Amino acid sequence: LFSITAFAQRTEANLTEANVPAYTLPDPLQMADGKTVTTVQQWNKVQRPYIYHLFETNVYGRFPRTPVQMSFKVTSLNPYALDSLATCKQITLYFNRADTNAQIHLLLYLPNKVRGQVPVFLGMNFYGNQSVVDDTTIPITPHYTVKGPGIVDNHATEASRGAQASQWPIKDIISRGYGVATFFYGEVEADKPDGWQTGFRTQLKDVLHIEPQEWSAMGVWAWALCRALDYLRQDRRVNEDLVLLMGHSRLGKAALWAGASDPRFAMVISNESGEGGAALSKRDYGENIEIITRNFPHWFVANYKTFANNTAALPVDQHMLLSLIAPRPLYVASAEGDQWSDPRGEFLSARNAEPVYKLFGKEGVGTETFPHVQQPTGEFIRYHIRSGKHDVTSYDWEQYLQFVGKHMAMR
Ligand code: GTR
């Protein structure tokens, strides 16, 4: 007898550990010719570009390398922000003289108590710059936004001011001597299947010499992070060698791809990035390729969907994305209440990126055992699972600040 369920599309996520089918992960150190990478030079010259290209072809699309003529305009400068603890700068980034509609509004906080150049955390935000801090000098984004607090009919209202402040403890970060930079990902491309039609993938296609369907929303969001980095590196208050990428959830996926694409980022922090981010995709637990490409077809290149019911054929898995960050410090964080993101799959991904860090003489997560909650582990790849839901909390930030502090002291 044939079971008809064998032919049915899988639509529900598996959330039972015992039901995870067997899977095989590709070895990041195994080269196309079957030989194993043994030197950093082989990794840098042969294997790393090979793996990167596999991610371009199969997951995120081609990453345009055409230089753009950027210009920057400081639209607001407040030296007395956050009870005079910080200087707040708002900067508009332009990419093309012919189409000045393609803009990024960067919000930058710099600590006043520190003189000279400071390390800066950079991350995109979900609902507009006005959502990260309650400050009426920050314009409310007019762009399409996904559902959230203070969002009405996909547009931000006054009620969205500071609604994400708990995820952005800017005062705490500033008081530790770091800067914070953020921009709204929806300025780059509206997060919906047809968002590319009005976003940067269309606006800048002639400038970047790339067709919209050659890359993806995730690709262009990552590209935008690199352009924000271009700005930050020439701001005289920013330590250009210490721009620390941070991203939560879908924005964590984009942060990982940006970090893999641009070695100028000093460090990458993935907060619950899940499927298509830090989590393994061949391990069928939580969100999987079938579900994510059905709900968010625009996030990835069309090719990715072809692996939806055939992950075994996918030549990469996400531990290889993490390995592209090596030897830079990498933090992967999960939450116990966020099984959708597959915490164990994020840990195993971090664990399986370790051989590449070891090639550089760097220690990774350093344990095979899935850690208990609130027990961060690892040196150059650090991992934690905390209790609580899908979110960015003060616990998460405290770990990131300690991690950055430790690695800066080691420099
Ligand atoms: C979910 C999606 C996840 C994650 C999350 C988020 O709907 O399934 O992959 O990206 O959104 O961004 O909060």
Side-chain angles (χ1 to χ4, degrees):
L1 275 178
F2 294 99
S3 154
I4 76 156
T5 53
F7 301 98
Q9 285 263 86
R10 267 287 307 283
T11 50
E12 296 306 319
N14 170 40
L15 290 166
T16 306
E17 189 61 38
N19 292 346
V20 175
Y23 60 94
T24 312
L25 293 181
D27 176 356
L29 293 177
Q30 172 155 357
M31 297 192 284
D33 64 6
K35 295 200 181 108
T36 299
V37 173
T38 54
T39 68
V40 165
Q41 203 201 11
Q42 272 177 322
W43 170 259
N44 286 335
K45 291 242 153 65
V46 184
Q47 184 68 348
R48 191 186 188 283
Y50 170 67
I51 294 177
Y52 184 82
H53 185 66
L54 289 175
F55 277 99
E56 283 189 299
T57 311
N58 297 294
V59 188
Y60 307 107
R62 183 159 75 81
F63 195 90
R65 301 285 170 183
T66 319
V68 277
Q69 288 286 322
M70 289 176 68
S71 56
F72 313 123
K73 189 170 151 194
V74 178
T75 57
S76 163
L77 184 68
N78 173 13
Y80 308 110
L82 306 176
D83 302 324
S84 293
L85 286 174
T87 295
C88 176
K89 228 168 157 177
Q90 297 184 61
I91 312 107
T92 307
L93 280 51
Y94 300 92
F95 305 92
N96 177 12
R97 281 192 195 91
D99 180 1
T100 50
N101 289 321
Q103 299 178 3
I104 289 175
H105 294 90
L106 192 68
L107 177 65
L108 172 61
Y109 285 90
L110 295 159
N112 285 340
K113 73 163 185 190
V114 190
R115 303 233 162 266
Q117 300 191 322
V118 294
V120 172
F121 287 94
L122 169 65
M124 293 184 285
N125 63 70
F126 274 82
Y127 302 106
N129 292 347
Q130 83 287 342
S131 69
V132 307
V133 42
D134 189 358
D135 173 347
T136 51
T137 69
I138 303 171
I140 292 184
T141 184
H143 291 272
Y144 174 96
T145 54
V146 294
K147 286 190 180 62
I151 307 300
V152 177
D153 294 334
N154 296 109
H155 283 89
T157 68
E158 282 291 332
S160 69
R161 286 198 182 284
Q164 300 298 311
S166 70
Q167 294 195 353
W168 296 88
I170 299 180
K171 247 188 180 177
D172 299 342
I173 302 169
I174 288 288
S175 67
R176 303 274 277 260
Y178 302 100
V180 181
T182 184
F183 64 92
F184 173 44
Y185 81 130
E187 289 195 310
V188 175
E189 178 165 323
D191 193 355
K192 52 180 179 171
D194 63 359
W196 63 272
Q197 291 176 2
T198 49
F200 282 20
R201 276 197 281 160
T202 294
Q203 289 172 305
L204 300 178
K205 75 183 173 82
D206 296 332
V207 179
L208 297 178
H209 305 295
I210 185 166
E211 290 302 317
Q213 303 314 326
E214 281 185 81
W215 52 332
S216 60
M218 217 48 85
V220 73
W221 292 325
W223 181 87
L225 283 168
C226 301
R227 303 293 70 81
L229 175 63
D230 290 341
Y231 168 79
L232 291 171
R233 284 174 65 94
Q234 56 76 64
D235 187 303
R236 55 180 191 80
R237 284 291 324 276
V238 177
N239 184 331
E240 62 173 1
D241 296 323
L242 285 175
V243 176
L244 320 160
L245 250 184
M246 190 277 186
H248 170 54
S249 204
R250 69 195 65 185
L251 304 181
K253 308 180 209 293
L256 287 169
W257 181 232
S261 299
D262 196 331
R264 299 175 305 167
F265 287 110
M267 182 179 297
V268 185
I269 300 162
S270 154
N271 193 90
E272 298 154 35
S273 60
E275 187 72 17
L280 294 175
S281 48
K282 292 174 190 283
R283 184 184 130 84
D284 190 4
Y285 185 98
E287 191 173 30
N288 60 25
I289 298 182
E290 195 281 313
I291 297 171
I292 204 168
T293 56
R294 179 158 39 82
N295 291 336
F296 308 100
H298 53 295
W299 283 3
F300 305 96
V301 79
N303 212 4
Y304 195 45
K305 203 180 175 56
T306 65
F307 301 101
N309 292 297
N310 188 15
T311 58
L314 183 64
V316 289
D317 207 331
Q318 299 303 109
H319 64 302
M320 293 159 87
L321 177 68
L322 302 186
S323 78
L324 297 176
I325 314 285
R328 294 165 288 164
L330 166 67
Y331 205 117
V332 175
S334 311
E336 200 181 23
D338 179 22
Q339 292 298 314
W340 186 247
S341 295
D342 188 8
R344 191 180 289 267
E346 297 194 311
F347 171 74
L348 290 170
S349 181
R351 169 83 190 150
N352 283 284
E354 201 163 62
V356 179
Y357 277 76
K358 288 236 168 90
L359 188 70
F360 285 89
K362 312 272 189 198
E363 285 298 323
V365 288
T367 175
E368 270 179 49
T369 315
F370 187 46
H372 293 291
V373 290
Q374 274 84 260
Q375 297 286 319
T377 171
E379 288 261 334
F380 278 79
I381 309 176
R382 198 158 173 84
Y383 176 86
H384 77 239
I385 175 166
R386 62 157 171 77
S387 52
K389 64 178 176 64
H390 186 62
D391 197 1
V392 190
T393 67
S394 55
Y395 176 85
D396 297 320
W397 273 108
E398 182 54 38
Q399 309 319 309
Y400 305 152
L401 287 163
Q402 286 182 21
F403 185 63
V404 173
K406 191 179 156 212
H407 282 281
M408 278 178 42
M410 281 164 63
R411 281 165 71 94

